[in-house]
Amino acid sequence: MNDASVAGTAKKITAIYPGSFDPITNGHLDLIARGSRLVDRLIVAILRNEAKQPLFSVEERAAMLEEVVKPYANVEVGTFHGLLVDYASERGANMILRGIRAISDYEYELQTALMNRRLQPRIETAFLMSGEAYSFISSRLVKEVAKLGGNISGLVPPLVEERLRSRFFERRGGA
Ligand code: PNS
């Protein structure tokens, strides 16, 4: 099969990049940039998880995400609850995208990907390696450092840095 016929039969890829994004970090954004170059359409999907106590509401997280994905024409933001594979099917997605920062991420991601495949074999999970510069960044650590007054510049988009500062400042101010 030559290149032209491969291109002619290539399937369009709609990928879901799911997560908590509480808040979005530059590591997430790096993955979004990489993913958007690989797929036709990328839906960044925030889980509505009543069991977790997030710092930012789903609406606040979605608003921050909407802002930072503006430069990417094929990226949109959504929210979901329940099973990821059900949401992916509803949105016509044929791929789930997740990032692997370090080997410590692998075990959880492997289990989740295999469970998702069992639930919905039509949808493949693809893993992308985050850039080395972002491999230590997590939303949890960023929140901890911001809360303790540490420097988080370069770890999150400037708009998120601002939101984190004012969130913790307002809380202290109000206490
Ligand atoms: O950013 P996170 O917290 O690592 O994201 C985890 C997420 C949202 C991808 C995962 O918890 C998820 O997909 N939850 C939806 C529920 C579901 O489908 N569970 C079955 C898969 S094992």
Side-chain angles (χ1 to χ4, degrees), residues 55 139-152 155-156 160-161 163-165 168-169 172:
L55 179 64
S139 299
R140 183 183 60 81
L141 275 185
V142 164
K143 282 183 282 192
E144 187 174 323
V145 172
K147 189 176 180 179
L148 298 172
N151 182 3
I152 53 160
L155 304 181
V156 292
V160 176
E161 192 181 340
R163 293 298 310 271
L164 278 165
R165 254 201 223 108
F168 288 122
F169 176 75
R172 273 188 206 138

Side-chain angles (χ1 to χ4, degrees), residues 18-21 47 52 80 82-84 98 108 112 115-116:
S20 304
F21 304 106
L47 173 66
K52 271 195 180 174
F80 73 104
L83 285 177
L84 172 61
R98 288 284 286 174
Y108 167 76
T112 308
M115 181 60 81
N116 283 332

Side-chain angles (χ1 to χ4, degrees), residues 92-161:
N94 42 13
M95 184 183 280
I96 293 168
L97 209 58
R98 288 284 286 174
I100 299 261
R101 290 165 298 189
I103 197 76
S104 49
D105 285 337
Y106 181 72
E107 201 171 337
Y108 167 76
E109 294 297 339
L110 176 70
Q111 277 187 332
T112 308
L114 292 177
M115 181 60 81
N116 283 332
R117 185 194 277 166
R118 187 191 163 93
L119 292 167
Q120 180 48 269
R122 199 185 53 77
I123 300 174
E124 285 295 341
T125 298
F127 296 112
L128 292 182
M129 254 49 81
S130 39
E132 314 84 270
Y134 308 106
S135 62
F136 65 96
I137 305 176
S138 69
S139 299
R140 183 183 60 81
L141 275 185
V142 164
K143 282 183 282 192
E144 187 174 323
V145 172
K147 189 176 180 179
L148 298 172
N151 182 3
I152 53 160
S153 92
L155 304 181
V156 292
L159 135 115
V160 176
E161 192 181 340

Side-chain angles (χ1 to χ4, degrees), residues 4 17-18 21-22 42 46-47 49 54 77-78 87 90 97 120 131 151:
Y17 175 33
F21 304 106
D22 184 37
L42 180 61
I46 305 168
L47 173 66
N49 186 353
V77 177
Y87 176 70
E90 264 167 43
L97 209 58
Q120 180 48 269
N151 182 3

